[in-house]
Amino acid sequence: ALLGTGLCHVGAEAEGFGQDAGTSPPVAMFNWTAQLIEETYVNVTQKCWEYFVDLMRNVTASELCEWKVISRPYSLLQACLEGWADQLRYGYPNALAEQYIFQSHHRYFHNCTLEHQVYFDPPEDVLLAMIIAPICLIPFLVTLVIWRSKDGKTQP
C-alpha cells in the first residue's frame, strides 16, 4: 500500500506515510536500521524505475531525443529517486540512483547525438594570447588618452 501509484509525486510521498509535508520523515518516527532503510530504498527505487519505464512506453522511437517529450518522465525519475532518498535520509546522489540514471541513458538515449556544434576551449597558447592582448593594450590606450589630453587645446 505504501508503494502506490502516487509513488513519484512529491506530495504523495508524505501522504503515503500518513504525515503532513511539514513533519519529519518516517526515519525520525521509527528507529530504522541502516539495512532496513537500504532495503526500503532499493524497493522504492525499483518502483520509480518501473514508473519511468511505463511513462517511456508512450514515447515513440523518433521522439526519444526530443527534450520536450522526455523531460517529464526523466525529471519524474530523478525527482522520485531524490525524493525518496531525502525521505529516508539515505543520501543523494547515491550509487543506486546513479545506476538507474545510467540505465535510462543506456536503454533510451544512447543513440541521441547533439544537433548543435560542441565548442571546446582553444589551445592554451591561443587562450593565453587572447587574454594577454587586451591586457597589454590597456597601458597603450591609457598613455594615448593622457598624451591627447595634455595637448592644452580646448576641445569643443
Side-chain angles (χ1 to χ4, degrees):
L2 173 65
L3 305 175
T5 58
L7 173 72
C8 291
H9 302 288
V10 176
E13 291 172 1
E15 293 170 11
F17 284 104
Q19 295 180 333
D20 295 331
T23 61
S24 60
V27 175
M29 284 180 52
F30 304 107
N31 187 15
W32 286 20
T33 64
Q35 182 181 2
L36 181 58
I37 291 171
E38 187 169 353
E39 286 177 20
T40 303
Y41 189 68
V42 167
N43 293 334
V44 167
T45 54
Q46 179 61 37
K47 297 294 182 186
C48 293
W49 175 253
E50 290 169 5
Y51 183 67
F52 172 75
V53 169
D54 188 51
L55 289 175
M56 291 302 290
R57 284 190 186 112
N58 299 326
V59 179
T60 63
S62 62
E63 296 174 323
L64 280 177
C65 296
E66 292 182 34
W67 180 244
K68 290 178 183 178
V69 177
I70 60 141
S71 66
R72 182 175 177 267
Y74 188 82
S75 297
L76 286 174
L77 173 64
Q78 183 179 2
C80 186
L81 296 170
E82 185 174 358
W84 278 105
D86 288 345
Q87 280 286 340
L88 297 172
R89 297 186 185 219
Y90 188 68
Y92 188 88
N94 57 62
L96 187 57
E98 287 180 5
Q99 178 184 344
Y100 281 115
I101 296 296
F102 287 134
Q103 186 175 342
S104 72
H105 284 259
H106 180 71
R107 183 170 176 178
Y108 294 103
F109 315 123
H110 66 278
N111 286 330
C112 296
T113 58
L114 296 174
E115 294 178 13
H116 304 289
Q117 180 180 2
V118 177
Y119 296 105
F120 296 101
D121 288 338
E124 284 187 33
D125 54 341
V126 174
L127 186 61
L128 189 62
M130 292 173 66
I131 292 171
I132 291 178
I135 292 172
C136 292
L137 212 68
I138 291 172
F140 171 74
L141 293 174
V142 169
T143 304
L144 185 64
V145 167
I146 292 172
W147 178 63
R148 292 296 294 159
S149 65
K150 286 186 174 183
D151 191 9
K153 296 180 184 174
T154 309
Q155 306 230 348

